[in-house]
Amino acid sequence: MSEKKVADRYLPGRPNHSARFAEVEYAENVGATLKRIWTYFAKEKTMLIAMLAVVVFGTLCGVYAPSLQSTAIDIIAGSASGALFKTLILMLIDYLLYAGSQLLQGLFSARLSQRIVKRMREELFGKIVDLPVKYLDSHSHGDVMSRMTNDIENISTTVSQSLPSLFSGVLTIAGTVSIMLWYCWQLALLSFATVLLTLLATKLLSKQVRKFSRKRQQLLGQLNGTVEEMISGYRTVVAYNHQGVTTEEFCQTSDSLTRAGIRTDVFSGVMGPIMNCIGNVGFVIIAAFGGFFAINGLISVGVISAFIVYAKQFSRPINEIAQIYGQLQTAIAGAERVFIVLDEVSEDMSGAQLEDSAEAAVTFKNVQFSYVPGHPVLKDFTLTVPSGKKVALVGSTGSGKTTVVNLLMRFYDIDSGEIRINRQNIEDLSRSSLRRDVAIVLQDTVLFSDTIRNNLKYANEAATQEQLDNAVRMSRCEEMLRLLPQGFDTMLAAAGANISQGQRQLLAIARAFVADPKILILDEATSNVDTRTEKAIQDAMQLVMKNRTSIVIAHRLSTIRDSDVIIVMDQGRIVESGNHDGLLAKKGRYYDLYMTQYAGFAT
């Protein structure tokens, strides 16, 4: 949760007055964003028209009610003729219709907002899953998730609450002003003077509230960051006897937060009383001057009563519109961020199909690649992986090993050169066809919050139970499944948190078995497990790699001793190649790496 989001939350049951004056976000291109938002409304024209019709009808009922009240009072006072009972019945009907319109307005606006947001959310999620890997590698995951959650939620709230209130408020102001001027323009102008006082007070106080609210948000985010850091690194804090310093830092931030919070609450707390005071002053003005006008025969007593109601009706939507304006700006800014993602270029999935062949030789020829232009990661990289052979890539961190895998999977496209599978250039292949015949087991195993069965079938939805049983047996997962309460149907927690790291790696290898790929990539598949588990994983990997074109990336050189070819990389180039014994005999770069790990040298 972002610092801003944390700061916007408040305790249940406690009014959050300052939230009305939170920092407003602005879109860079409001006009274009509004036009695009309108396309979503245009697809819900019937619901939109129905909602606006109900808003108009409800506003008319609200504006008409004080006039009926005025008539009823004048009939009672004897200054007007008419049937009192009939007038009261009309008032009752009017108020019932008003209440009914408010109910329908809430219903229609909720349905409209959810339909629009549903379409927008589905489009955004569909876009995210179609984005190239390099987009998510180069953008904050938290930011992308925020667009799906916070920004979409802001749009939903605005459509369901702010838009109807804005439309209703404008109509109420227009209707109220018209009737007040029609009844008595002199008293109307006097009433409007209090509205100017209200706007002035709101502007002055809200400026102070925003100032201290912004500071409180910043400090609250800092405080939460301190707590999160302390909890996640508690062992380190205790190990270095840093409890006192950490507590002092926390208390300093907490004191500053308390002071900012008090000032925010004071300024936001006086807002209501000041508004009420100005409103009461307005009522006094209406009563005093209204009485004077009534004595002189300009208006009736009933009109004074109506003016008091209209004055309240007039000031309320003005304050609401001032608040809604900020919400609208924030929602438009959120929509703009959503549209930025929707406008990103989706990953190109077009191309030919990979030829069906028992062979799967991989060739890199003069490959050049840079993540950042001008900073090459692979330089004139040439490598052949014969079909059915196991090739290992070793080298120091940053030498380009994982980049080779990224290029083969077409997570990124090369700058120059070519990569071929058999005779086909992978740039001519569709990414979906290529990835169907390549399976990858990563260092950080990804398992989903689902059953083990569905996690294994993630690689091949059409896999039979026999194929699953065979994959489990070959990957040494049988004993693990026997110990789990529901076997294949055991639910995994998020990222497989309810099983060990080694068990997760074994399931990832079993998933690769289920995929039955032509080409297998193992990227540091044993780096996070103990020696015993590593041996089990190695045995499973040997089976899954048998007679299969395999590329293995490893820091632990013990895992690749039996590779057909070992490629030693340094700064994006191949510096050595050969088998384990031959490379050791050369006493070159591979020898240095091996002796660093197994001869007691510092790593």
Side-chain angles (χ1 to χ4, degrees), residues 165-199:
S165 297
L166 176 64
F167 192 57
S168 174
V170 170
L171 291 177
T172 299
I173 291 172
T176 301
V177 168
S178 300
I179 292 181
M180 290 174 75
L181 291 172
W182 180 69
Y183 270 135
C184 181
W185 64 268
Q186 299 95 330
L187 193 56
L189 293 178
L190 289 168
S191 301
F192 299 158
T194 59
V195 174
L196 294 177
L197 286 175
T198 300
L199 293 176

Side-chain angles (χ1 to χ4, degrees), residues 84 117 134 159 219 228 285 296 346 359 403 493 514 517 527 567 569 585:
L84 178 61
V117 168
K134 64 181 179 181
V159 174
L219 289 169
E228 181 181 358
I285 291 174
N296 289 277
S346 297
E359 302 292 314
T403 299
V514 175
S527 60
I567 303 297
M569 297 183 64

Side-chain angles (χ1 to χ4, degrees), residues 99-260:
S101 67
Q102 293 294 103
L103 180 63
L104 288 175
Q105 176 182 317
L107 176 63
F108 287 154
S109 61
R111 290 176 66 87
L112 177 65
S113 70
Q114 290 307 312
R115 287 185 182 183
I116 289 174
V117 168
K118 175 179 179 290
R119 182 175 288 110
M120 192 175 290
R121 186 185 292 121
E122 289 175 349
E123 288 183 10
L124 180 58
F125 187 79
K127 169 59 72 171
I128 290 173
V129 298
D130 285 339
L131 287 173
V133 171
K134 64 181 179 181
Y135 179 88
L136 293 175
D137 282 349
S138 59
H139 290 75
S140 164
H141 294 182
D143 177 65
V144 175
M145 292 176 64
S146 177
R147 298 177 195 228
M148 173 63 75
T149 53
N150 295 348
D151 291 337
I152 292 287
E153 188 60 32
N154 282 338
I155 296 169
S156 174
T157 302
T158 300
V159 174
S160 64
Q161 298 177 14
S162 301
L163 282 183
S165 297
L166 176 64
F167 192 57
S168 174
V170 170
L171 291 177
T172 299
I173 291 172
T176 301
V177 168
S178 300
I179 292 181
M180 290 174 75
L181 291 172
W182 180 69
Y183 270 135
C184 181
W185 64 268
Q186 299 95 330
L187 193 56
L189 293 178
L190 289 168
S191 301
F192 299 158
T194 59
V195 174
L196 294 177
L197 286 175
T198 300
L199 293 176
L200 181 62
T202 301
K203 182 178 180 180
L204 293 175
L205 289 173
S206 62
K207 181 179 179 181
Q208 294 299 316
V209 172
R210 284 196 194 95
K211 173 185 174 182
F212 292 111
S213 178
R214 184 163 57 245
K215 186 175 182 180
R216 183 170 71 173
Q217 290 175 5
Q218 178 186 355
L219 289 169
L220 183 57
Q222 184 178 334
L223 194 73
N224 287 332
T226 301
V227 174
E228 181 181 358
E229 198 174 60
M230 191 278 293
I231 293 174
S232 60
Y234 183 68
R235 290 177 182 271
T236 304
V237 173
V238 173
Y240 286 96
N241 292 318
H242 229 259
Q243 300 97 312
V245 176
T246 302
T247 302
E248 184 179 350
E249 291 175 353
F250 177 88
C251 290
Q252 288 175 353
T253 306
S254 181
D255 290 343
S256 299
L257 176 61
T258 300
R259 287 191 292 270

